[in-house]
């Protein structure tokens, strides 16, 4: 599977698991862009079956409910669009 990379300020390893149709995923991606940080993202719903299963297995380790977006910022995991938590994690 291939993550898309957005260049910006290096604030550690930031990964966004998202759905292409999810407005909260879009808002999260926009926020990361506004903050100017480098991050990687993947639209899970656009993956082939085998890749999707692999990513979903990874996502459910962090979020057993399997909801989106899921953001990994270093060792911290934020489930859902929580602007204050994202800003705090990147401060």
């Amino acid at each position: 599977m291939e993550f898309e990379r957005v260049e910006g300020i290096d604030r550690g390893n930031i990964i966004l698991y998202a759905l292409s149709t999810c407005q909260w995923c879009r808002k999260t991606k926009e926020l990361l862009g506004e903050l100017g940080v480098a991050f990687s993202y993947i639209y899970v719903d656009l993956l082939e079956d085998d890749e999707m299963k692999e990513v979903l297995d990874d996502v459910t380790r962090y979020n057993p409910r399997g909801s989106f977006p899921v953001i990994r910022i270093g060792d911290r995991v934020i489930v859902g669009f929580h602007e204050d938590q994202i800003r705090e994690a990147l401060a």
Side-chain angles (χ1 to χ4, degrees):
M1 85 199 77
E2 198 164 313
F3 285 78
E4 297 290 328
R5 181 80 178 155
V6 176
E7 296 302 326
I9 301 165
D10 183 6
R11 294 287 173 102
N13 191 27
I14 302 170
I15 298 176
L16 168 64
Y17 298 94
L19 300 175
S20 66
T21 57
C22 164
Q23 70 172 340
W24 299 113
C25 301
R26 180 178 45 80
K27 289 174 99 46
T28 302
K29 186 176 169 215
E30 287 173 357
L31 176 61
L32 292 172
E34 288 172 16
L35 294 172
V37 296
F39 65 99
S40 298
Y41 69 95
I42 194 163
Y43 287 126
V44 178
D45 58 320
L46 299 181
L47 297 173
E48 297 294 327
D49 290 344
D50 289 345
E51 288 181 329
M52 184 184 299
K53 181 182 180 327
E54 184 179 336
V55 172
L56 287 174
D57 287 346
D58 196 32
V59 168
T60 53
R61 278 188 327 167
Y62 306 110
N63 172 22
R65 294 178 59 191
S67 57
F68 292 89
V70 174
I71 310 139
R72 286 180 33 211
I73 301 174
D75 293 335
R76 186 170 177 178
V77 176
I78 300 170
V79 177
F81 177 71
H82 297 285
E83 184 173 345
D84 54 338
Q85 292 179 25
I86 295 168
R87 288 182 182 275
E88 178 189 320
L90 294 171

